[in-house]
Amino acid sequence: MEETIVSTITNIIKDNPETLKTLYSFTDSWYIILPVSLITVLFSKKISKVIFFILGFISSYVFIIPYLLQFEVIQNLLKEVEYYESIAFLIFSIVIGILTYSIFKSSVQLAGFILGGILGFEISAVILKFYPEIFEKFEFFKNLDQAYVPWIFIIFFGLIISILISKSFDTVVTILTIFIASTIASFFTVYSLEYYFSLKIGENTILKQNVNLSSVELLTILAISLIYITIGIMFNFKKSKK
């Protein structure tokens, strides 16, 4: 079982070496990233919205603003506020950062509605093809053109899935944040153990910044990650005592 897990993770790493290289590029700042990751694990429920703000803020400068600057109307507008251009960019990026959470949530709800609609359409198609007599048992469907039946199922299931996603959105985001932060924290925990405490873990391939991690290191990262995930979930979803 362990060998299978290690082999799977090893293949994923080999197929995506850039991810590991990115982590290696931050090893000089492990003493900052490790505590920040652990804080994120413990307070994911509260920090997740801040993360969305940061992503939106950075994306504004990296992607949105350069894209908007291609349009002449934006260029002319900036000429009017030439001396306040940097302030305008800052305010715009802050607004985008604030709106990112709502935009992402709305996008996920829309995706949920579409997926629910597809599910509803497929269900209606199966019923109409194999069990059309079911509709005869309901007065509402008796006088209804069967062409409208798929649309009823599409809207009904689309709304249900969208509402379910909306209600559990914060929980899903929190859990994803815990998983990502735990993985990063576990990686830098192993690195710090090898670097600061000079521990021999496998072949110390992380310390050597080798993309071919040893099985012992992978298992250690996996074990520490599971510990962090467990702590994170328990800490973020603990029931308040009355």
Side-chain angles (χ1 to χ4, degrees), residues 174-236:
T174 300
I175 292 173
L176 284 175
T177 304
I178 290 172
F179 270 76
I180 294 170
S182 294
T183 303
I184 295 172
S186 63
F187 175 86
F188 285 104
T189 297
V190 173
Y191 178 84
S192 65
L193 291 174
E194 292 182 357
Y195 177 79
Y196 191 75
F197 295 99
S198 301
L199 291 183
K200 179 71 174 176
I201 302 176
E203 299 172 9
N204 288 128
T205 50
I206 290 179
L207 200 60
K208 300 171 185 175
Q209 299 195 6
N210 192 327
V211 292
N212 297 316
L213 298 184
S214 64
S215 298
V216 176
E217 285 174 308
L218 281 173
L219 283 173
T220 306
I221 290 172
L222 180 61
I224 295 174
S225 181
L226 289 174
I227 292 170
Y228 287 154
I229 289 169
T230 302
I231 294 172
I233 291 175
M234 290 175 63
F235 197 85
N236 284 276

Side-chain angles (χ1 to χ4, degrees), residues 1-214:
M1 178 64 177
E2 289 181 351
E3 287 298 324
T4 304
I5 294 173
V6 172
S7 299
T8 302
I9 297 175
T10 302
N11 290 333
I12 292 172
I13 292 172
K14 286 182 178 180
D15 292 337
N16 302 277
E18 294 304 320
T19 302
L20 202 54
K21 289 178 182 178
T22 301
L23 287 173
Y24 282 143
S25 67
F26 292 105
T27 51
D28 290 338
S29 303
W30 67 267
Y31 53 88
I32 297 174
I33 296 174
L34 179 55
V36 169
S37 300
L38 291 174
I39 290 170
T40 302
V41 170
L42 294 175
F43 301 99
S44 292
K45 206 168 188 177
K46 297 178 180 179
I47 291 178
S48 57
K49 290 184 180 180
V50 178
I51 293 173
F52 274 104
F53 172 81
I54 295 171
L55 288 174
F57 185 84
I58 295 173
S59 297
S60 174
Y61 274 102
V62 177
F63 301 109
I64 300 176
I65 291 176
Y67 175 75
L68 292 176
L69 288 175
Q70 297 178 18
F71 297 95
E72 188 176 350
V73 63
I74 301 298
Q75 294 173 6
N76 293 334
L77 183 63
L78 288 174
K79 287 179 182 178
E80 299 294 327
V81 290
E82 183 178 357
Y83 298 105
Y84 304 98
E85 184 177 296
S86 58
I87 297 175
F89 287 160
L90 177 62
I91 294 173
F92 178 78
S93 297
I94 290 173
V95 172
I96 293 298
I98 293 171
L99 293 176
T100 300
Y101 177 83
S102 299
I103 292 170
F104 189 80
K105 186 174 182 179
S106 299
S107 301
V108 172
Q109 287 175 325
L110 178 60
F113 181 83
I114 293 171
L115 289 173
I118 294 172
L119 176 63
F121 177 79
E122 293 298 329
I123 291 174
S124 67
V126 171
I127 294 174
L128 285 171
K129 184 175 181 179
F130 298 103
Y131 310 103
E133 65 277 3
I134 290 178
F135 294 114
E136 296 298 323
K137 297 179 181 180
F138 299 95
E139 194 65 32
F140 174 77
F141 287 103
K142 283 183 179 179
N143 301 320
L144 186 69
D145 189 335
Q146 287 195 346
Y148 293 110
V149 172
W151 288 104
I152 293 173
F153 275 75
I154 288 170
I155 294 172
F156 176 77
F157 280 93
L159 288 174
I160 292 296
I161 299 298
S162 182
I163 291 170
L164 288 175
I165 287 177
S166 177
K167 286 184 175 294
S168 59
F169 180 76
D170 288 336
T171 301
V172 172
V173 170
T174 300
I175 292 173
L176 284 175
T177 304
I178 290 172
F179 270 76
I180 294 170
S182 294
T183 303
I184 295 172
S186 63
F187 175 86
F188 285 104
T189 297
V190 173
Y191 178 84
S192 65
L193 291 174
E194 292 182 357
Y195 177 79
Y196 191 75
F197 295 99
S198 301
L199 291 183
K200 179 71 174 176
I201 302 176
E203 299 172 9
N204 288 128
T205 50
I206 290 179
L207 200 60
K208 300 171 185 175
Q209 299 195 6
N210 192 327
V211 292
N212 297 316
L213 298 184
S214 64

